């Protein structure tokens, strides 16, 4: 069945599309409130960014808690409503002249925690929202909306901030979360039953450990986590901040030219989201993941090697961002779909939490390492190191079953005593049969 006829998915997709645009507005408005209204320093703004991502470190525990909660959809709606209410406190405080940096920090921390709640409840919901044969197509549509938000969101946010001021612009993001909650609420799916409560139920920490152990022991998840974590470490070494610094100081590009180059990255990501299902059908899901793991970081070397006239230097940065955008979508869409196919019900939120803690937790370390290398070696060698190190993430995939997985259509035997082994075998076996339509994320996204 076409996803356009899947009412619950269409509503969920619409809600996420609106919410993504709202996120881009807040990403611009919150720092502007700190800088313009509160005269924050660079260090204070950096803390604002850090606090938004800090709850991801606790995702492994929150995922274990979410796993034993019924009605994941209700948890996702709650997360949307919490984010809307928290954001609305900012324009209210600005109206009364009582906004402070501590208030901004609290908003960043609470909205970040609600985002982790949403993201750990999402995998079990998504796995039953669309059929397995539509996983890649569904992830492609969701990723395309995210890419569009990076193209249109900043421009819309800038216009709202200029016309209405940053605190008022935050209201747009709050309304986007309310819209997401309203569209998600009626999107009912047949969610799997949760384990019955009882005295023998494992402790929260034990369930969290079980999620991490499951990832480590599963050949597909272990390899994909190693690959994604390596990608995140090295791509955050080059980060958008160092890339901007390199483009301005080493290449002598203007702010407008740099902005245009980064815009090409968003266009590349949109193109990657559109073509990902077709590529996975042609070369297979596993090879698409491997191709994305190389195409995402390798183009950083193009920017690092840039020289010559202004148009050539600007073109090198634009080409880097465009190709990397395609690569990250190939990687994310197919890997998210593969994970949805191989993780069994009853483990999805725990695995998502463990995965996020490791995968996202490495990002600050990568950024700090990039800053240290740039200070000691210079910007150009740091970018080259990021390109080479990120490409080496492929070494996690080559000995694993992932490159041999063509399609995700086969299903594992139900109620298997060795779920991880059967899921992996079923996925790998699909590579030996005739080519079939490809099927079945916060992943290495930049």
């Amino acid at each position: 069945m076409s996803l356009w006829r899947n009412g619950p998915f269409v509503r969920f997709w619409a809600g996420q599309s609106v919410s993504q645009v709202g996120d881009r507005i807040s990403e611009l408005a919150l720092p502007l409130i700190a800088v313009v209204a509160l005269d924050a320093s660079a260090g204070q703004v950096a803390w604002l960014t850090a606090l938004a991502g800090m709850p991801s470190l606790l995702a492994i525990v929150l995922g274990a808690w979410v796993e034993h909660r019924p009605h994941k959809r209700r948890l996702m709606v709650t997360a949307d409503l919490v984010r809307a209410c928290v954001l609305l406190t900012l324009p209210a405080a600005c109206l009364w002249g009582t906004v402070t940096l501590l208030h901004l920090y609290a908003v960043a921390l609470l909205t970040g925690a609600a985002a982790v709640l949403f993201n750990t409840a999402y995998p079990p919901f998504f796995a039953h929202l669309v059929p397995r044969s539509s996983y890649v197509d569904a992830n492609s549509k969701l990723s395309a909306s995210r890419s569009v938000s990076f193209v249109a969101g900043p421009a819309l946010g800038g216009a709202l901030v200029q016309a209405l001021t940053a605190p008022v612009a935050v209201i747009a993001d709050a309304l986007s979360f309310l819209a997401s909650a309203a569209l998600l609420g009626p999107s009912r799916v047949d969610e799997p039953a949760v384990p019955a409560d009882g005295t023998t139920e494992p402790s929260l920490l034990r369930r969290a450990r079980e999620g991490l152990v499951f990832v480590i022991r599963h050949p597909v998840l272990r390899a994909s986590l190693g690959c994604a974590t390596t990608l995140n470490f090295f791509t955050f070494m080059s980060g958008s901040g160092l890339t901007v610094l390199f483009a301005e100081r080493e290449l002598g590009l203007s702010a407008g030219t740099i902005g245009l180059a980064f815009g090409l990255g968003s266009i590349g990501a949109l193109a990657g989201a559109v073509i990902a299902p077709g590529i996975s059908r042609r070369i297979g899901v596993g090879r698409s993941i491997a191709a994305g793991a190389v195409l995402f970081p390798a183009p950083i070397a193009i920017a690092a090697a840039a020289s010559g006239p202004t148009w050539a230097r600007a073109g090198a940065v634009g080409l880097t961002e465009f190709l990397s955008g395609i690569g990250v979508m190939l990687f994310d869409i197919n890997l998210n779909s593969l994970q949805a196919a191989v993780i069994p019900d009853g483990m999805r939120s725990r695995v998502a939490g463990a995965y996020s803690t490791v995968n996202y937790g490495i990002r600050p370390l990568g950024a700090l390492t990039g800053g240290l290398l740039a200070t000691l070696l210079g910007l150009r060698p740091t970018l080259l190191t990021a390109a080479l190190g990120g490409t080496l993430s492929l070494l996690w995939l080559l000995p694993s079953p992932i490159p041999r997985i063509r399609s995700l259509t086969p299903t594992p035997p139900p109620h298997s005593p060795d779920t991880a082994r059967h899921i992996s075998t079923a996925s790998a076996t699909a590579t030996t049969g005739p080519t079939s339509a490809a099927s079945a994320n916060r992943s290495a996204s930049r």
Side-chain angles (χ1 to χ4, degrees):
M1 181 182 72
S2 169
L3 287 179
W4 292 104
R5 300 179 181 177
N6 185 331
F9 172 76
V10 171
R11 285 192 293 272
F12 174 69
W13 181 25
Q16 288 304 290
S17 299
V18 173
S19 179
Q20 288 287 342
V21 173
D23 286 348
R24 305 293 83 79
I25 294 173
S26 280
E27 286 170 3
L28 179 66
L30 289 184
L32 282 175
I33 294 174
V35 172
V36 176
L38 302 174
D39 195 27
S41 66
Q44 290 170 327
V45 173
W47 268 106
L48 186 64
T49 303
L51 285 169
M54 199 169 290
S56 293
L57 297 175
L58 298 177
I60 186 171
V61 177
L62 187 58
W65 179 82
V66 168
E67 196 74 73
H68 278 237
R69 306 276 77 77
H71 310 301
K72 305 298 190 294
R73 176 180 53 84
R74 292 181 185 175
L75 290 177
M76 296 164 68
V77 170
T78 299
D80 277 341
L81 294 177
V82 167
R83 286 183 281 189
C85 292
V86 169
L87 285 170
L88 286 173
T89 65
L90 277 176
C94 289
L95 179 65
W96 291 100
T98 58
V99 66
T100 64
L101 267 176
L102 186 61
H103 186 176
L104 271 182
Y105 289 160
V107 169
L109 190 63
L110 290 174
T111 54
V116 173
L117 174 63
F118 187 98
N119 292 336
T120 51
Y122 167 78
F125 174 80
F126 174 81
H128 295 268
L129 178 64
V130 297
R132 178 189 290 254
S133 60
S134 299
Y135 281 176
V136 169
D137 189 21
N139 273 313
S140 172
K141 287 178 167 54
L142 291 167
S143 294
S145 294
R146 185 170 184 270
S147 299
V148 169
S149 77
F150 277 100
V151 176
L156 178 60
L160 286 174
V161 168
Q162 186 168 346
L164 304 174
T165 74
V168 179
V170 171
I171 296 176
D173 192 16
L175 292 177
S176 76
F177 282 120
L178 292 177
S180 174
L183 289 165
L184 178 59
S187 302
R188 300 181 183 275
V189 299
D190 294 326
E191 299 182 36
V194 300
D197 292 333
T199 58
T200 60
E201 181 181 336
S203 68
L204 182 64
L205 291 179
R206 181 179 175 183
R207 296 201 306 269
R209 187 181 71 234
E210 288 172 351
L212 181 60
V213 169
F214 184 86
V215 172
I216 294 173
R217 291 181 176 176
H218 194 292
V220 169
L221 297 177
R222 180 177 63 246
S224 65
L225 177 58
C227 179
T229 303
T230 303
L231 276 174
N232 267 319
F233 177 81
F234 283 103
T235 54
F236 269 75
M237 265 182 57
S238 64
S240 58
L242 281 187
T243 301
V244 168
L245 189 62
F246 174 77
E248 195 273 334
R249 292 189 179 175
E250 299 281 339
L251 302 183
L253 301 180
S254 66
T257 303
I258 295 172
L260 179 61
F262 274 78
L264 288 175
S266 300
I267 295 173
L270 176 59
V274 171
I275 66 177
I279 291 178
S280 67
R281 283 192 293 268
R282 180 175 294 273
I283 68 174
V285 172
R287 290 181 180 178
S288 296
I289 294 170
V294 174
L295 189 56
F296 178 20
I300 297 172
I302 299 175
S307 62
T310 301
W311 65 266
R313 300 193 301 272
V317 176
L319 182 61
T320 293
E321 295 298 320
F322 182 81
L323 293 177
S324 290
I326 293 176
V328 72
M329 285 297 122
L330 278 180
F331 184 83
D332 274 358
I333 290 169
N334 286 283
L335 183 57
N336 289 344
S337 302
L338 176 58
Q339 289 172 347
V342 303
I343 301 172
D345 291 333
M347 290 296 296
R348 295 187 188 276
S349 291
R350 277 181 283 179
V351 168
Y355 208 96
S356 296
T357 295
V358 177
N359 188 33
Y360 294 158
I362 200 69
R363 290 179 171 183
L365 183 58
L368 291 173
T369 303
L372 179 62
L373 284 180
T375 301
L376 297 176
L377 304 178
L379 290 167
R380 201 179 294 266
T382 300
L383 295 184
L384 288 172
T385 301
L388 176 60
T391 304
L392 292 178
S393 65
L394 181 65
L395 297 180
W396 286 96
L397 302 180
L398 294 180
S400 77
I402 292 177
R404 300 189 298 277
I405 298 174
R406 270 204 84 76
S407 137
L408 307 177
T409 305
T411 55
H415 309 299
S416 167
D418 190 354
T419 308
R421 180 174 63 82
H422 279 296
I423 290 174
S424 177
T425 302
S427 300
T429 302
T431 66
T432 64
T435 303
S436 58
S439 45
N441 114 128
R442 237 95 144 21
S443 61
S445 297
R446 303 188 78 173

